[in-house]
Amino acid sequence: MPKDNSARHAALYVIRLRAVAHMRRLAARALSGGPELAVLLTQSGAWMRINDPRTGARYHASPAAETELTVLVPDTVYAALLDGELTVQRATELGLLRVYGTENLDAAIHAFADALSISG
């Protein structure tokens, strides 16, 4: 991230626009049947929902409940994932992506990776 506040704000704004577009593409596709995921972009504090039973996917969603399946990822890592510069598995290995609310880490990682495959 840039050190200058205005440059940092601009970079996060571009990532937000990409996240909104990504959620719109996810919402337009047929539901994958995977588990519902709450996703927190940790740098901006934005919540998203993936595999939402009502809307498919959405940006600016309500925060996750304590027991919900939740993915925490920095905005810049999310952008790298969308660009294919980083895989979900590698981000997890590096501790850049965290999953909470499940014992089945593989299912959550697979569902998140599946959602990222709809990025173009």
Side-chain angles (χ1 to χ4, degrees):
M1 289 297 294
K3 292 185 184 199
D4 176 66
N5 280 341
S6 61
R8 191 169 39 252
H9 177 72
L12 288 173
Y13 179 76
V14 169
I15 295 169
R16 182 185 76 106
L17 293 177
R18 294 185 66 211
V20 168
H22 180 220
M23 291 301 108
R24 285 184 180 152
R25 283 189 298 278
L26 285 175
R29 77 172 182 164
L31 293 176
S32 70
E36 182 178 355
L37 300 174
V39 179
L40 174 62
L41 299 179
T42 60
Q43 290 170 290
S44 64
W47 284 93
M48 302 185 299
R49 296 280 175 166
I50 296 172
N51 294 328
D52 183 281
R54 294 174 306 279
T55 62
R58 62 190 156 127
Y59 185 84
H60 274 311
S62 59
E66 194 171 312
T67 57
E68 272 186 279
L69 182 55
T70 306
V71 173
L72 275 63
V73 61
D75 299 50
T76 51
V77 172
Y78 176 74
L81 292 165
L82 287 176
D83 290 339
E85 297 171 355
L86 187 64
T87 65
V88 172
Q89 187 65 39
R90 186 67 179 141
T92 304
E93 290 168 1
L94 293 171
L96 300 171
L97 184 147
R98 302 279 181 147
V99 178
Y100 297 94
T102 184
E103 296 295 321
N104 190 348
L105 187 65
D106 289 337
I109 289 172
H110 178 73
F112 188 63
D114 181 53
L116 288 166
S117 71
I118 312 295
S119 65

